[in-house]
Amino acid sequence: METHGLPKMISQAGPRHANPSAFPEADELARWDREHVWHAFTQMAEYEPLLIERGQGCKLIDIDGRAYLDGVSSLWCNLHGHRHPTIDAAICEQLSKLAHTTSLGASNSTTIRLARRLVELAPAGLEHVFFSDDGATAVEVAIKLAFQYWRQCPKPRPQKNLFLALGDAYHGDTLGSVSVGGVARFHALFEPLLFEVARLPAPRSDRAPPGAAAAGALDHHLGQLEAALQEHHERIAAMVIEPLMQCAAGMIAHPEGYLRGARELTRRYGVLLIADEVAVGFGRTGKMFACEHEGISPDLLCLAKGMTGGYLPLAATLASDDIWRAFLGRHEDSRHFFHGHTYGGNPLGAAAALASLDVFEQERVLERLPEKIERLRQHLATIAQLEHVGDVRQRGLIAGVELMRDRATATPYEPGERRGWRACLHAREHGVLLRPLGDVVVLMPPLAVSLEELDQIAAAAAAGIQAACSD
Ligand SMILES: *Cc1c(COP(=O)(O)O)cnc(C)c1O
């Protein structure tokens, strides 16, 4: 793998900081960061601060003036780059009118417009939008809506109180979304607090199911799903699925046709389908929504991460008309949805989201993706040749590179060796910020990434992997 000609972004970034007084300030901030900010998914005893001060396009610039490419879209949410003028202006304009008002029994014009726009864009039949603020809350809302629906629909089925989810699923970190999640590393500890879930093995397209050829993976996994539905459908309220790609699991790609099959089977057995597009939505897979690849509409659709272009926390759960109608009645019937978040549907977030959708149109973002996706594919094909790369998996601009001690025998590294993490730290020396999932190095650049920036990200990832796996 060629790694010469790597961009020397660190040395290009110039002096540590234009203002010399920033030196002590930076050290003090780093100390306060360690002492006072409790970082998510981070061992604070070992935490090394990385202090980002500014962003520009696909670059992030730290407090010392060093520039890095944002190789994982600031944790999978940035779409059009940082400080995009259209989104910046939309937020400022909204700010000049209203920063926040409640969505409990009231509304504002920006949030209404966003709801309308989401309904127009989303798969057919999803006409009602419940706003919250994060991916986990979008899933939480979908679970509670599904549960309540079966108690209030025209033919109530109150025994439907079980959810069906997939192995290694990730749906967020609140207790409902952890219950349907299945990543042991994150979730096992909280087991006593979780509700019961029926779980099927993740339908991996890259590994042959037991007793079947890889080519038979689709039939095998749909057969398994049908058997589970046949046996338990009277108790199952909904199936929860991350369409096409289970990202947090380490980029597990489903066999083509699985989503369509799951839609047909859940419909046949009277089970709702919840599509969690928090990670894959808003263009990441090459289409606006992953469900479009298989021509399906779920009953409930969860959106978050990319919705505001990666600017502000805002999430939405879209519901079918059938579900919506089950919640209508007179106040004293208590059929309405007893759930809400103070900042749900926040107008600043809605303004950012509307502007992000404008950028999709103005910059023909989706039309320009295929050549970026192809360039990423080419780089991954090269990376796949590296000695300790066991597998590469890609869907659109989402990619995972799995490191292994011995690829011939598919022997993983000991988790304690932290090879994925080390590869990402080395990539940082080449001016690219990455964050791994265990030993899977994730590449998920903003949709706005240029071909040249993609080249830099791939080269830094390759160099990082080689450095981390050289012993
Ligand atoms: C990130 C993620 C979530 C949780 O979103 P938060 O905004 O972090 O709460 C839920 N589902 C999927 C598929 C995700 O990738």
Side-chain angles (χ1 to χ4, degrees), residues 48-106:
E48 284 298 330
L50 170 67
L51 306 186
I52 300 300
E53 191 74 351
R54 290 183 296 126
Q56 186 62 58
C58 294
K59 290 202 182 81
L60 291 167
I61 295 133
D62 75 10
I63 195 160
D64 293 325
R66 276 180 294 237
Y68 307 90
L69 281 170
D70 189 358
V72 288
S73 300
S74 291
L75 233 300
W76 315 354
C77 59
N78 189 280
L79 299 181
H80 311 298
H82 300 276
R83 300 198 49 220
H84 192 291
T86 306
I87 305 178
D88 287 11
I91 294 173
C92 290
E93 195 194 323
Q94 179 61 44
L95 195 54
S96 73
K97 288 189 283 194
L98 172 72
H100 183 66
T101 181
T102 183
S103 66
L104 276 61

Side-chain angles (χ1 to χ4, degrees), residues 246-465:
Q246 292 181 218
C247 294
M251 305 303 165
I252 295 179
H254 291 172
E256 202 178 315
Y258 185 80
L259 180 62
R260 192 179 316 117
R263 172 68 284 188
E264 284 163 14
L265 288 170
T266 47
R267 189 166 281 141
R268 192 180 316 151
Y269 285 94
V271 165
L272 299 175
L273 184 66
I274 300 172
D276 175 356
E277 291 221 22
V278 169
V280 295
F282 296 102
R284 295 266 176 218
T285 65
K287 293 186 187 288
M288 187 58 94
F289 297 112
C291 286
E292 294 171 31
H293 288 274
E294 305 218 344
I296 69 122
S297 288
D299 301 290
L300 292 156
L301 174 68
C302 306
L303 302 174
K305 288 193 173 97
M307 187 149 83
T308 60
Y311 268 63
L312 288 162
L314 183 67
T317 307
L318 276 67
S320 69
D321 206 49
D322 189 34
I323 292 176
W324 157 266
R325 272 186 278 110
F327 288 74
L328 302 179
R330 291 168 309 153
H331 180 81
E332 55 270 34
D333 300 334
S334 288
R335 295 168 70 89
H336 47 291
F337 188 39
F338 288 95
H339 186 107
H341 299 277
T342 304
Y343 284 101
N346 171 265
L348 286 173
L354 280 168
S356 169
L357 295 174
D358 288 343
V359 174
F360 268 101
E361 286 177 12
Q362 288 158 9
E363 299 181 9
R364 298 184 302 110
V365 169
L366 294 176
E367 289 94 310
R368 292 164 65 189
L369 284 180
E371 69 169 343
K372 301 180 188 186
I373 294 168
E374 171 57 21
R375 180 70 72 104
L376 179 59
R377 194 194 61 72
Q378 290 166 2
H379 284 304
L380 289 171
T382 312
I383 289 174
Q385 309 297 317
L386 294 175
E387 192 187 342
H388 290 284
V389 172
D391 193 21
V392 297
R393 299 180 285 273
Q394 179 190 9
R395 190 83 212 212
L397 277 186
I398 303 172
V401 177
E402 186 165 357
L403 309 182
M404 289 182 190
R405 173 171 296 288
D406 184 349
R407 53 196 238 160
T409 57
T411 309
Y413 281 112
E414 288 298 316
E417 296 178 30
R418 304 194 75 196
R419 300 284 175 160
W421 179 246
R422 282 157 62 183
C424 294
L425 281 184
H426 284 292
R428 197 186 286 182
E429 290 164 19
H430 296 282
V432 173
L433 287 186
L434 298 174
R435 186 175 165 86
L437 293 157
D439 281 341
V440 176
V441 174
V442 174
L443 307 183
M444 206 189 290
L447 306 184
V449 71
S450 70
L451 295 179
E452 295 69 33
E453 287 168 334
L454 260 181
D455 298 347
Q456 291 170 6
I457 291 169
I465 289 166

Side-chain angles (χ1 to χ4, degrees), residues 76 134-137 139 170-173 242 247-248 276 278-279 304-305:
W76 315 354
D134 284 287
T137 54
V139 172
Y170 179 77
H171 299 289
D173 296 323
E242 295 161 79
C247 294
D276 175 356
V278 169
K305 288 193 173 97

